[in-house]
C-alpha cells in the first residue's frame, strides 16, 4: 500500500432483497410500502414445505400450505371473520423472503430468526389492513388450523405414521374428502401462485 493512502472501506453489508416488482425490502426494518402481494405469491409458490421431502410430481409449496390452513380454519370455525381468514392466508408470508425452515432448525437458530420473522409479519399485516400484532385468541385459532394442516401434510405427503403425526401436530382436522384431494395434491408453482392471488383477492373484498 502506498504510504499515506488509507485502505478502501469495507462495503456495507446488504440487508435488503430486491423483488421482481422492483421493491427493495429491508429485512431489519421492513416497510409496509415495500411489500407487494404479487411478490409474496410468487415467492411462496416456489418455497418448499418439509424441505422438499414430500411425495408428488411437484414440491408442496408454502403458498399451497397457506391455502390449506385457511381451508382448515373455515372448517373449524365456519363463521370466522373474513379478516381472520386473511390473516391465516398470510401467516407464513414472511417466508417469501426468509424461506421455510423446519421447526427443529428454527429451534437451533433461536431468537434472531424469530425477531426477523415477527418484524416482517407485522409489516405485512399493516400493508394489508390487519393489526400489526394479532390478538392471542386469533393467533391461537390460526395456530390450531396450521397444526391441522401439518397433520394432513405429514400423513399424506411427508411419510409420517398417523400416531406420530397426532403426537406432534394434534388431531386430524377432518376436511371433506374433495377438499383434501384438491389441497393435498401438490400443484405447479404457477398454479399455486394463481390460486393464492385469487384467494387473497376474495378475502380483500
Amino acid at each position: 500500500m502506498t504510504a499515506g493512502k488509507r485502505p478502501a472501506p469495507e462495503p456495507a453489508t446488504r440487508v435488503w432483497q430486491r423483488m421482481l416488482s422492483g421493491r427493495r425490502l429491508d429485512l431489519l426494518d421492513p416497510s409496509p410500502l415495500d411489500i407487494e402481494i404479487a411478490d409474496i405469491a410468487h415467492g411462496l409458490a416456489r418455497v418448499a414445505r418439509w424441505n422438499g421431502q414430500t411425495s408428488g410430481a411437484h414440491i408442496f409449496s408454502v403458498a399451497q400450505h397457506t391455502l390449506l390452513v385457511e381451508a382448515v380454519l373455515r372448517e373449524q370455525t365456519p363463521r370466522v371473520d373474513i379478516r381472520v381468514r386473511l390473516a391465516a392466508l398470510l401467516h407464513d408470508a414472511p417466508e417469501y423472503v426468509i424461506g421455510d425452515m423446519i421447526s427443529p432448525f428454527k429451534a437451533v437458530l433461536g431468537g434472531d430468526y424469530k425477531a426477523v420473522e415477527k418484524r416482517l409479519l407485522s409489516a405485512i399485516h399493516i400493508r394489508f389492513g390487519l393489526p400489526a400484532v394479532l390478538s392471542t385468541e386469533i393467533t391461537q385459532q390460526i395456530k390450531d388450523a396450521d397444526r391441522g394442516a401439518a397433520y394432513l401434510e405429514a400423513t399424506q405427503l411427508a411419510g409420517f405414521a398417523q400416531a406420530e403425526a397426532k403426537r406432534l401436530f394434534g388431531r386430524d382436522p377432518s376436511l371433506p374428502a374433495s377438499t383434501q384431494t384438491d389441497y393435498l395434491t401438490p400443484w405447479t408453482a404457477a398454479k399455486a401462485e394463481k390460486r393464492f392471488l385469487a384467494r387473497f383477492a376474495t378475502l380483500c373484498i
Side-chain angles (χ1 to χ4, degrees):
M1 183 176 68
T2 305
K5 293 189 73 174
R6 293 183 179 179
E10 292 290 332
T13 301
R14 179 169 67 90
V15 294
W16 53 265
Q17 179 178 343
R18 186 190 187 282
M19 304 299 171
L20 285 180
S21 65
R23 298 287 188 184
R24 295 188 178 191
L25 184 63
D26 188 320
L27 300 186
L28 296 181
D29 187 22
S31 168
L33 298 177
D34 290 326
I35 293 167
E36 299 291 348
I37 194 62
D39 292 330
I40 293 174
H42 184 83
L44 295 185
R46 288 158 177 78
V47 175
R49 288 272 292 169
W50 305 95
N51 274 350
Q53 298 298 309
T54 50
S55 59
H58 306 284
I59 66 165
F60 187 78
S61 70
V62 174
Q64 189 166 350
H65 163 74
T66 61
L67 287 160
L68 176 61
V69 170
E70 197 261 329
V72 171
L73 180 72
R74 281 184 277 126
E75 183 68 22
Q76 293 178 338
T77 319
R79 296 187 180 183
V80 68
D81 186 86
I82 196 169
R83 306 305 289 174
V84 179
R85 295 180 186 181
L86 178 60
L89 185 70
L90 296 173
H91 80 282
D92 277 341
E95 294 178 7
Y96 88 108
V97 179
I98 57 178
D100 180 35
M101 295 185 183
I102 59 174
S103 296
F105 193 45
K106 288 182 181 179
V108 171
L109 291 178
D112 288 344
Y113 176 90
K114 296 300 293 183
V116 172
E117 185 179 45
K118 285 181 179 180
R119 283 194 294 267
L120 285 167
L121 188 57
S122 291
I124 290 165
H125 280 174
I126 293 169
R127 172 67 178 84
F128 300 116
L130 297 170
V133 179
L134 301 175
S135 71
T136 301
E137 179 183 2
I138 292 174
T139 299
Q140 189 60 52
Q141 284 181 309
I142 295 172
K143 184 176 182 179
D144 290 344
D146 191 27
R147 286 169 59 82
Y151 175 93
L152 293 173
E153 295 167 22
T155 54
Q156 298 193 33
L157 295 171
F160 284 66
Q162 289 185 351
E164 184 179 20
K166 184 176 181 181
R167 177 172 59 82
L168 293 171
F169 309 114
R171 63 183 179 84
D172 184 337
S174 302
L175 285 182
S178 59
T179 303
Q180 285 199 39
T181 299
D182 182 17
Y183 284 92
L184 289 161
T185 301
W187 305 328
T188 64
K191 182 175 181 179
E193 181 176 350
K194 182 178 180 180
R195 289 191 60 168
F196 182 94
L197 287 171
R199 189 61 185 159
F200 174 84
T202 299
L203 296 174
C204 281
I205 291 175

